[in-house]
Amino acid sequence: MASGDTAAHKLFIRAAAQANASDAPTNVTGCPVSHAQGSATACPAASAEHGARINMPVVDNTAITSQQARLDTTRQRSSIPIATDQRPQHQEPGTDVWMYPSEQQFYNAMQRKGWDPSEKDMNRVVAIHNTVNERAWQHVLAWEMLHACKCTTPQLKRFQGKPNEYSPKARLLNLLGYKLPFDRHDWVVDRCGKEVRYIIDFYSGAPQPGAPASMHLDVRPALDSVGAVWDRLKMQFGWVTSGRWLHE
């Protein structure tokens, strides 16, 4: 990661940690962008109401008057399958995966939350945002492999940012001397008809001289069921017996 990317990474972390601005709907916090796109043909009131219901408010995809440079309004496709039975209004009809916010949407979201973002940073910030989400989904898929015999097509149904609502594990680690995560997301996965909640804690990596900034993701199923507890035990046992802990 070049020096410019490192600066963008730090901007992303600052925004994620402070994104719960007073104008944001209740519980819509965490990542600085709300992953939303308005529809030119939709009723604004209906769009806002739908966004509030799924904790993802609408963010405009057009330039604002104070903007000094043009930003890309193209939204990139993720590799994360979307559960279509409750497709959010900001997701494009007919797509089978989640669509990432554009540079313009990211910029507008940060402006709305009281930040003063630089247009030149948006390309890197959005790239980091997308990369982190792709990594999170790969971690989810590693857990879902435990159930591949029953479901080979898990899908992300919805998600919610909870940066100030620390998980029991994060609090325990903090008591042991570790830093609290700068953000938390809860992802609800559709496992072929069964809803499974995952907790994702986002940590800033320890700074290393001459090394780029890093980020650590702690992804695991929430302890909402006996099955989730069993999955956690199996994964932990596999990690210990593999010897990976000696090198991680």
Side-chain angles (χ1 to χ4, degrees), residues 213-247:
S214 62
M215 190 183 303
H216 171 69
L217 278 61
D218 185 2
V219 183
R220 70 276 185 195
L223 299 179
D224 295 335
S225 65
V226 174
V229 174
W230 183 237
D231 283 354
R232 295 268 288 265
L233 290 173
K234 285 191 294 183
M235 193 69 84
Q236 186 69 25
F237 180 77
W239 177 72
V240 171
T241 57
S242 70
R244 295 199 312 272
W245 58 277
L246 293 170
H247 311 287

Side-chain angles (χ1 to χ4, degrees), residues 3-116:
S3 59
D5 295 329
T6 301
H9 177 271
K10 291 179 179 178
L11 175 63
F12 173 79
I13 290 177
R14 285 183 62 220
Q18 299 293 333
N20 54 333
S22 59
D23 66 336
T26 303
N27 290 331
V28 185
T29 53
C31 176
V33 71
S34 300
H35 305 256
Q37 179 182 25
S39 170
T41 58
C43 169
S47 299
E49 188 277 333
H50 183 86
R53 247 186 316 118
I54 57 173
N55 300 305
M56 301 174 197
V58 171
V59 176
D60 195 14
N61 200 21
T62 57
I64 59 178
T65 55
S66 61
Q67 210 168 301
Q68 300 298 313
R70 296 178 65 88
L71 291 171
D72 192 356
T73 59
T74 304
R75 302 180 66 183
Q76 300 296 320
R77 286 172 57 90
S78 76
S79 68
I80 306 173
I82 186 171
T84 57
D85 58 334
Q86 294 183 2
R87 181 188 299 274
Q89 190 161 342
H90 59 73
Q91 290 295 310
E92 298 175 5
T95 58
D96 56 352
V97 294
W98 287 82
M99 301 295 293
Y100 287 127
S102 68
E103 294 176 15
Q104 186 66 62
Q105 286 177 299
F106 218 107
Y107 182 86
N108 290 351
M110 294 181 71
Q111 282 277 355
R112 180 176 62 84
K113 293 176 182 294
W115 288 84
D116 185 23

